[in-house]
């Protein structure tokens, strides 16, 4: 399925040929003098597939002991109390990108950006992530680091550097997700989260086996999730009710979402994305309107976590395209991130030094503490996981490798 870039169904002819070949090889071994080799191969496979996950789990346990006090953001903030403590809303819409990238797809999303500007948001149109996936991006955003500090889901599940600092100064943390994908296999540590974990991992595994392939789309794999209406109703109920005390809310919507990443674009891939984008924009307006009306002094962040993967093969290009074929749009399409922030006061400009999305919380904490030195905890703005773009990279907004080598990643006017 992976080799031929099949999506949800394959070629029966090829499948039967593969099945027949494997069946004949096993049959020949079974009825030959080399039957013991077949048994040995099966035993080695079984042992190998059992031992490797155990070793992997052991290495993750060791990694989780990495001292978080070595995190630069945590160190520079220390045990101080912030100068101001607005409620903070981090609203992530999956695979949402700035309008320069949308234009390249043939989509004009300027009306949505104008809406956010009218609501008091400052838009950062040249932002990108150092990683091309939700967990990679958001874990490192919440850690303000290139490190996961153990399990890659540790930060998104509620135990990140950002949540820890905010809890220490009196914030209550909320994690609002469309499914339990963010904390599957790890658990969650928010003060309040949706949805509740109920589906055992082995059920997810069995469902994937019976489907015949492991897919990114969680509703088919079997992660526990509410319906879209239930998810929207639950989060908007929280946005409409201002609780006592200070809150930090991390909401991650699955709209507009990326391509089906089979390795081949569907004929109407961009049209499907645009349909989902329209739904995402409606949901975003509902979210923002509720927050702005009910929590006027809040710090509200609206962002995408990575690109929608709509160019080339609609997937990672490594091994399929040479680096010389990678364009500016290919990089934006995988690493570009939309970002808009509604700051509570007008003195934010001395603190909002943001190049990559992972600069977000150094900027936020610099604003909360009214201390520009916190910006020194920012990471280097370099794409450190360039597998999705055949090894090309971006350093401080400048492309390294490919067709547009040495040129800016974004050309639009700031």
């Amino acid at each position: 399925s992976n080799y031929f870039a099949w999506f949800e169904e394959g070629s029966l002819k090829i499948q039967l040929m593969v099945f027949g070949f494997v069946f004949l090889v096993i049959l020949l071994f079974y009825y030959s003098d080399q039957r013991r080799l077949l048994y040995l191969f099966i035993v080695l496979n079984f042992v190998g597939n059992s031992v490797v996950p155990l070793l992997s789990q052991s290495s993750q346990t060791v990694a989780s002991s990495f001292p978080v006090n070595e995190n630069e953001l945590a160190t520079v903030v220390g045990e101080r109390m912030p100068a101001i403590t607005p409620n903070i809303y981090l609203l992530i819409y999956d695979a949402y990108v700035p309008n320069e990238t949308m234009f390249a797809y043939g989509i004009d999303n300027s009306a949505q950006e104008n809406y956010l500007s009218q609501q008091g948001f400052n838009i950062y149109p040249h932002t990108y992530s150092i990683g091309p996936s939700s967990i990679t991006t958001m874990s490192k955003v919440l850690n303000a680091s290139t490190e996961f500090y153990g399990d890659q889901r540790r930060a998104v599940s509620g135990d990140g550097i950002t949540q820890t600092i905010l809890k220490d100064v009196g914030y209550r943390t909320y994690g609002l997700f469309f499914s339990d994908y963010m904390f599957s296999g790890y658990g969650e540590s928010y003060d309040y989260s949706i949805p509740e974990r109920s589906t055992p991992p082995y059920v997810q595994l069995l469902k994937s086996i019976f489907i015949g392939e492991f897919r990114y789309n969680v509703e088919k794999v079997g992660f526990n999730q509410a319906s879209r209406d239930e998810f929207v109703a639950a989060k908007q109920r929280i946005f409409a009710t201002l609780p006592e005390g200070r809150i930090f809310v991390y909401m991650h919507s699955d709209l507009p979402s990326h391509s089906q990443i089979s390795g081949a674009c569907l004929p109407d891939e961009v049209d499907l994305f645009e349909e989902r984008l329209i739904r995402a924009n409606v949901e975003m307006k509902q979210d923002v309107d509720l927050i702005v009306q009910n929590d006027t002094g809040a710090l509200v962040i609206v962002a995408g976590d990575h690109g929608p993967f709509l160019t080339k093969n609609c997937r990672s290009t490594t091994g399929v395209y040479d680096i010389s074929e990678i364009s500016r749009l290919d990089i934006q399409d995988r690493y570009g991130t939309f970002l808009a922030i509604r700051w509570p006061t007008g003195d934010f400009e001395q603190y909002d030094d943001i190049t990559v999305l992972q600069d977000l919380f150094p900027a936020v904490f610099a604003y909360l503490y009214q201390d520009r030195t916190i910006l020194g905890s920012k990471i280097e703005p370099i794409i450190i996981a360039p597998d999705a773009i055949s090894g090309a990279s971006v350093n401080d907004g400048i492309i390294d490798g490919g067709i547009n080598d040495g040129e800016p990643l974004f050309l639009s006017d700031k």
Side-chain angles (χ1 to χ4, degrees):
S1 178
N2 182 66
Y3 181 83
F4 290 103
W6 291 333
F7 175 58
E8 295 189 340
E9 61 178 282
S11 165
L12 185 60
K13 180 180 178 181
I14 293 175
Q15 289 170 304
L16 287 174
M17 287 172 61
V18 172
F19 175 80
F21 174 76
V22 173
F23 180 82
L24 286 174
V25 169
I26 293 175
L27 199 65
L28 288 172
F29 269 103
Y30 188 78
Y31 286 108
S32 73
D33 296 335
Q34 307 299 321
R35 184 186 298 185
R36 290 184 178 180
L37 286 177
L38 177 63
Y39 294 160
L40 178 63
F41 174 75
I42 292 172
V43 170
L44 289 175
N45 250 304
F46 181 81
V47 172
N49 286 325
S50 302
V51 171
V52 170
L54 290 174
L55 293 175
S56 175
Q57 188 176 25
S58 174
S59 67
Q60 286 184 0
T61 302
V62 172
S64 67
S65 64
F66 188 96
V68 294
N69 59 2
E70 292 187 12
N71 177 273
E72 288 192 41
L73 178 59
T75 300
V76 72
V77 168
E79 298 181 358
R80 293 181 290 163
M81 293 297 293
I84 53 175
T85 55
N87 289 333
I88 303 169
Y89 297 84
L90 174 61
L91 310 179
I92 301 296
Y93 301 88
D94 195 82
Y96 208 100
V97 287
N99 208 33
E100 177 178 332
T101 311
M102 296 282 194
F103 266 128
Y105 303 141
I107 300 171
D108 183 1
N109 200 40
S110 58
Q112 191 74 4
E113 294 195 359
N114 290 337
Y115 158 77
L116 289 171
S117 295
Q118 291 165 7
Q119 292 294 325
F121 283 82
N122 194 53
I123 295 176
Y124 302 81
H126 294 179
T127 309
Y128 58 98
S129 172
I130 62 172
S133 66
S134 296
I135 291 179
T136 300
T137 291
M138 295 312 302
S139 288
K140 294 178 178 182
V141 165
L142 291 164
N143 282 335
S145 171
T146 58
E147 300 291 337
F148 289 123
Y149 302 116
D151 191 283
Q152 62 177 348
R153 282 176 162 83
R154 178 176 181 175
V156 291
S157 69
D159 195 21
I161 298 297
T162 292
Q163 296 99 318
T164 300
I165 294 173
L166 291 173
K167 282 183 177 182
D168 288 345
V169 297
Y171 278 76
R172 180 175 169 83
T173 61
Y174 288 68
L176 311 179
F177 305 104
F178 61 93
S179 82
D180 61 2
Y181 171 75
M182 288 297 189
F183 42 87
S184 177
Y186 185 77
E188 57 83 25
S189 52
Y190 290 97
D191 294 314
Y192 175 86
S193 69
I194 57 170
E196 294 181 0
R197 175 77 181 172
S198 64
T199 307
Y202 66 83
V203 173
Q204 303 168 17
L205 178 65
L206 288 172
K207 284 187 177 181
S208 296
I209 291 172
F210 283 116
I211 288 172
E213 60 178 329
F214 294 91
R215 298 296 308 157
Y216 77 91
N217 37 345
V218 294
E219 71 275 5
K220 292 187 177 179
V221 174
F223 289 101
N224 183 47
Q225 64 175 25
S227 69
R228 168 135 302 273
D229 288 343
E230 290 172 334
F231 167 64
V232 171
K235 66 172 179 169
Q236 291 183 354
R237 184 168 59 250
I238 292 168
F239 296 157
T241 307
L242 194 61
E244 294 182 6
R246 292 305 178 195
I247 60 171
F248 167 72
V249 178
Y250 169 29
M251 184 284 299
H252 200 123
S253 172
D254 59 338
L255 288 176
S257 189
H258 52 69
S259 71
Q260 35 73 45
I261 58 171
S262 66
C265 298
L266 298 177
D268 57 347
E269 199 77 72
V270 173
D271 292 336
L272 292 171
F273 173 75
E274 187 171 15
E275 290 174 8
R276 299 192 301 270
L277 176 67
I278 292 170
R279 292 162 56 200
N281 285 343
V282 171
E283 185 178 316
M284 184 190 297
K285 284 184 177 180
Q286 292 173 340
D287 294 341
V288 169
D289 285 346
L290 276 172
I291 294 170
V292 170
Q293 290 168 13
N294 291 286
D295 199 353
T296 55
L299 195 164
V300 187
I301 303 156
V302 172
D305 52 353
H306 55 75
F309 286 73
L310 300 178
T311 68
K312 291 289 193 292
N313 59 341
C314 290
R315 191 179 179 178
S316 168
T317 61
T318 298
V320 183
Y321 294 90
D322 186 76
I323 189 173
S324 62
E325 301 176 82
I326 302 303
S327 69
R328 174 185 289 107
L329 177 59
D330 294 327
I331 303 173
Q332 289 183 14
D333 177 63
R334 288 156 177 80
Y335 293 84
T337 55
F338 179 81
L339 177 62
I341 305 176
R342 188 178 190 269
W343 300 93
T345 58
D347 60 344
F348 66 87
E349 291 185 355
Q350 57 184 312
Y351 307 111
D352 68 338
D353 186 9
I354 300 172
T355 302
V356 293
L357 196 64
Q358 287 72 25
D359 294 337
L360 179 58
F361 283 103
V364 166
F365 281 112
Y367 172 79
L368 296 182
Y369 283 84
Q370 303 285 284
D371 181 1
R372 278 187 53 84
T373 64
I374 293 177
L375 293 172
S377 64
K378 296 194 316 174
I379 66 171
E380 289 191 51
I382 302 173
I383 289 178
I384 58 174
D387 292 347
I389 43 174
S390 303
S393 186
V394 178
N395 187 345
D396 199 17
I398 303 299
I399 297 170
D400 181 10
I403 296 171
N404 303 105
D405 181 43
E407 299 177 13
L409 176 60
F410 293 99
L411 299 176
S412 61
D413 225 355
K414 280 197 176 184

